[in-house]
């Protein structure tokens, strides 16, 4: 009864503090929702760079795997009973970055671009919902498919004026009292000379550190802190794109499943899981890699749904994006009203793998090579055949730029608009493939379109409607009975 009173008071406080925060957001019977909303187990999934275009493209692609008819095959997240739209702007920009967006979600307050869990002047730390959960006696896990000192995961455990100081952020991670970190590595290459890196710090602090599937599988629930990271990626700091994974690679879903096993306890847990490589793929305008990693992200969500099915009255699952990335559009001038999502299925490697395993060695070994020498590799990796004169001209120009040393490449506006700072040939290949499928891009950066937020479980109705990303913190905290955002002197 005491918990129910606390939760009721907290939710009412939010309703008074934020006009319309409950009743304008689609809660038909707010009193019933507030009285019954209790969450002992809370999952917060953040698809970095994921908005409706990324989800819709993935669902259309999945449909085309089994049908030639137009339609969609819904992801697990799209079938959640509560569905809302969320604004993403930061304190100083309409188009946010991940640090400001994740801080809003983690702390319930806006901050400036690049700031990690601090106020907009970067003078006061903001207590995160993960830290509040830990103080309430819950276990806490932070997972990501990219490096764990990247902006989104960092905003749940670290407090710093800039997202770019990876060493300081990883040092705070090593000294955290959280229970489980998993997914990507930390940036060991950012360790100052003469200083101990974060992984060695964690080992000194008694953490169990694992890097292989066999080590991960042997972990058993205990009071020992765990950092399970992926060490065999050719990208070093992150889980490989799904298109590039081998059969023995560890997936985000596996890390999520193990996290549930390790964190489950009588006091409950809070787990944040980021699908970070959706964003990275969209920055590079690689729809195939974005779609593959959206599916991988949804597979991790399915692990939480399986847990929910065992604890339906005590579990809350929230899924959102921190922002959209790339300005992905489901439509292209060259294909008009037609779509050909089956073409995306011809791609079997990411732009990043093509850079590393095709372009780099070719450029080193064939300084006088031609595009014709690479056409078989382009067909093998992306299924591009029957190239038109227009497409061949695009590839020829991109190839010439790719064969130049980066210092010799043009820095003009046209070059950026064509290639966005990526390998010219790789990004041109994905542009051609995506355009053939009926997809297009407007940016190599983030955009400000609202993102969807889905919820299932205790207090789910609070997440219906149209609201700001700061409200995700407020609604989740209300369901958990944690109260309002708290500033912390630092």
């Amino acid at each position: 009864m005491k918990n129910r009173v606390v939760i009721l008071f907290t939710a009412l406080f939010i309703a008074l503090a934020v006009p319309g925060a409950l009743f304008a957001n689609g809660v038909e019977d707010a009193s019933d929702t507030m009285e019954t909303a209790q969450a002992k187990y809370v999952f917060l999934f953040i698809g970095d760079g994921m908005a409706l275009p990324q989800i819709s493209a993935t669902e259309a692609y999945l449909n085309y795997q089994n049908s030639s008819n137009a339609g969609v095959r819904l992801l697990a997240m799209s079938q959640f009973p509560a569905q809302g739209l969320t604004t993403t702007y930061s304190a100083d920009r309409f188009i946010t970055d991940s640090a400001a967006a994740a801080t809003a979600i983690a702390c319930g307050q806006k901050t400036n671009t690049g700031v990690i869990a601090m106020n907009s002047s970067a003078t006061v730390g903001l207590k995160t919902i993960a830290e509040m959960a830990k103080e309430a006696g819950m276990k806490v896990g932070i997972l990501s498919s990219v490096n764990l000192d990247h902006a989104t995961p960092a905003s749940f455990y670290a407090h710093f004026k800039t997202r770019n100081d990876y060493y300081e952020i990883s040092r705070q991670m090593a000294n955290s009292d959280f229970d489980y970190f998993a997914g990507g590595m930390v940036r060991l290459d950012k360790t100052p000379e003469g200083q101990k890196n974060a992984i060695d710090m964690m080992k000194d602090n008694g953490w169990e550190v694992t890097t292989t599937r066999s080590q991960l599988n042997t972990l058993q629930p205990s009071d020992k802190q765990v950092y399970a990271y992926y060490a065999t990626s050719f990208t070093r700091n992150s889980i490989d794109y799904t298109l590039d994974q081998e059969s023995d690679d560890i997936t985000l879903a596996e890390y999520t499943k193990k996290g549930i096993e390790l964190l489950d306890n009588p006091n409950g847990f809070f787990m944040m899981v980021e699908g970070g490589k959706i964003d990275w793929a969209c920055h590079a305008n690689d729809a195939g890699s974005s779609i593959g990693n959206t599916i991988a992200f949804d597979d991790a969500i399915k692990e939480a749904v399986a847990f929910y099915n065992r604890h339906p009255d005590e579990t809350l699952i929230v899924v959102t994006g921190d922002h959209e990335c790339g300005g992905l559009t489901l439509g292209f001038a060259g294909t008009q009203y037609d779509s050909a999502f089956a073409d995306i299925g011809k791609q079997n490697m990411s732009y990043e793998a093509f850079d590393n395993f095709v372009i780099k060695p070719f450029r080193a070994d064939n300084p006088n090579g031609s595009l014709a020498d690479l056409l078989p590799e382009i067909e093998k990796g992306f299924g591009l055949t029957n190239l038109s004169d227009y497409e061949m001209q695009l590839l020829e120009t991109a190839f010439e730029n790719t064969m130049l040393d980066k210092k010799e490449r043009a820095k003009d506006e046209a070059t950026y608009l064509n290639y966005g700072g990526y390998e010219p040939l790789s990004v041109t290949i994905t542009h051609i493939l995506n355009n053939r499928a009926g997809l297009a891009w407007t940016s190599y950066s983030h955009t400000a379109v609202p993102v969807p937020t889905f919820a299932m479980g205790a207090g789910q109705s609070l997440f219906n409607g149209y609201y700001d990303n700061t409200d995700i913190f407020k609604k989740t905290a209300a369901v958990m009975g944690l109260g309002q955002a708290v500033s912390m002197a630092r």
Side-chain angles (χ1 to χ4, degrees):
M1 180 65 184
K2 181 179 179 181
N3 288 338
R4 293 176 65 184
V5 171
V6 170
I7 294 168
L8 174 60
F9 178 81
T10 303
L12 283 172
F13 185 90
I14 292 172
L16 293 172
V18 184
L22 296 180
F23 300 101
N25 287 336
V27 180
E28 295 180 2
D29 191 343
S31 60
D32 287 346
T33 300
M34 289 183 290
E35 286 186 347
T36 60
Q38 299 180 59
K40 179 178 177 181
Y41 310 104
V42 175
F43 296 87
L44 174 59
F45 287 89
I46 300 177
D48 200 313
M50 184 191 77
L52 285 174
Q54 285 73 21
I55 293 171
S56 297
T58 301
E59 293 179 335
Y61 167 79
L62 289 172
N63 173 71
Y64 273 92
Q65 299 308 292
N66 300 299
S67 173
S68 60
N69 296 323
V72 295
R73 178 182 167 192
L74 295 179
L75 294 165
M77 67 180 96
S78 303
Q79 301 177 62
F80 279 21
Q83 304 193 5
L85 281 175
T86 305
T87 51
T88 64
Y89 60 91
S90 66
D92 62 339
R93 288 184 182 176
F94 187 53
I95 299 176
T96 190
D97 82 320
S98 291
T103 295
I105 296 169
C107 306
Q109 294 190 34
K110 296 289 187 183
T111 195
N112 285 357
T113 300
V115 178
I116 299 289
M118 299 187 77
N119 65 354
S120 57
S121 61
T123 55
V124 179
L126 303 174
K127 189 162 290 187
T128 75
I129 194 167
E131 292 170 328
M132 295 167 69
K134 185 64 180 176
E135 290 178 358
M138 304 171 76
K139 288 195 172 186
V140 174
I142 305 295
L143 293 72
S144 178
S145 59
V146 301
N147 41 305
L148 265 293
D149 46 13
H150 209 258
T152 300
S155 296
F156 285 83
Y157 67 80
H159 308 267
F160 204 60
K161 59 186 178 182
T162 171
R163 60 180 288 176
N164 296 323
D165 193 331
Y166 290 99
Y167 181 69
E168 169 60 25
I169 291 169
S170 67
R171 187 189 64 79
Q172 293 189 39
M173 174 179 160
N175 292 313
S176 166
D177 63 354
F178 290 0
D179 303 277
Y180 180 63
F181 286 97
M185 292 177 63
V186 292
R187 295 287 299 273
L188 299 183
D189 59 318
K190 301 297 183 180
T191 304
E193 185 176 354
Q195 298 295 315
K196 186 171 292 188
N197 69 52
I199 293 177
D200 286 340
M201 289 184 208
M202 297 180 94
K203 291 177 179 177
D204 289 346
N205 291 339
W207 287 69
E208 182 76 26
V209 178
T210 71
T211 61
T212 67
R213 174 181 276 111
S214 61
Q215 292 173 337
L216 184 72
N217 289 341
T218 59
L219 292 174
Q220 298 295 323
S222 70
D223 292 329
K224 198 166 188 176
Q225 293 170 290
V226 172
Y227 178 29
Y229 69 87
Y230 185 69
T232 59
S233 169
F234 68 87
T235 58
R236 294 186 59 232
N237 299 309
S238 62
I239 298 174
D240 286 339
Y241 285 110
T242 56
L243 287 172
D244 305 324
Q245 289 177 1
E246 304 291 341
S247 59
D248 59 346
D249 286 358
I250 308 174
T251 65
L252 187 63
E254 288 180 273
Y255 283 123
T256 302
K257 183 177 183 179
K258 176 56 69 171
I260 293 170
E261 177 187 340
L262 297 178
L263 297 176
D264 192 8
N265 76 101
N267 293 325
F269 61 75
F270 172 87
M271 184 188 298
M272 192 289 294
V273 182
E274 182 202 22
K277 298 206 78 167
I278 301 169
D279 178 69
W280 290 14
C282 291
H283 275 294
N285 291 180
D286 183 346
S289 293
S290 171
I291 287 169
N293 276 76
T294 302
I295 295 170
F297 180 62
D298 200 60
D299 287 342
I301 293 169
K302 290 176 182 177
E303 295 294 340
V305 172
F307 181 86
Y308 163 85
N309 287 333
R310 300 192 296 272
H311 306 273
D313 298 328
E314 301 176 294
T315 303
L316 170 65
I317 307 172
V318 179
V319 182
T320 192
D322 55 352
H323 51 71
E324 197 276 337
C325 183
L328 176 63
T329 63
L330 279 65
F332 172 61
T335 55
Q336 299 182 42
Y337 291 96
D338 291 330
S339 299
F341 284 93
D343 282 357
I344 298 296
K346 298 175 182 177
Q347 180 176 347
N348 56 44
M349 67 191 310
S350 71
Y351 74 94
E352 196 169 36
F354 192 77
D355 289 350
N356 279 270
F357 301 125
V358 178
I359 289 179
K360 286 183 179 180
F362 181 86
R363 189 164 49 210
D365 298 337
N366 302 275
N368 298 313
S370 68
L371 175 63
D373 299 325
L374 279 180
L375 288 178
E377 294 295 333
I378 294 172
E379 179 180 351
K380 179 181 177 182
F382 298 89
L384 285 181
T385 58
N386 301 317
L387 292 158
S388 69
D389 291 343
Y390 172 70
E391 292 170 335
M392 279 298 297
Q393 183 57 57
L394 292 176
L395 290 173
E396 286 283 5
T397 304
F399 175 80
E400 292 171 5
N401 279 276
T402 280
M403 292 301 287
L404 293 174
D405 184 273
K406 288 186 178 181
K407 295 179 181 179
E408 299 175 351
R409 296 175 188 173
K411 303 295 191 297
D412 62 319
E413 182 179 0
T415 300
Y416 177 77
L417 291 175
N418 285 328
Y419 311 126
Y422 290 89
E423 277 291 353
L425 184 58
S426 297
V427 76
T428 301
I429 290 168
T430 59
H431 280 165
I432 291 172
L433 178 64
N434 297 170
N435 291 167
R436 284 185 170 192
L439 301 172
W441 304 87
T442 67
S443 178
Y444 300 100
S445 302
H446 302 167
T447 70
V449 300
V451 299
T453 298
F454 309 107
M456 179 170 68
Q460 64 188 29
S461 295
L462 291 174
F463 295 87
N464 286 320
Y466 187 36
Y467 44 87
D468 188 57
N469 55 6
T470 55
D471 292 321
I472 294 175
F473 165 89
K474 296 167 188 174
K475 296 169 187 292
T476 305
V479 177
M480 296 172 69
L482 296 178
Q484 292 293 287
V486 179
S487 296
M488 50 193 294
R490 300 194 66 80

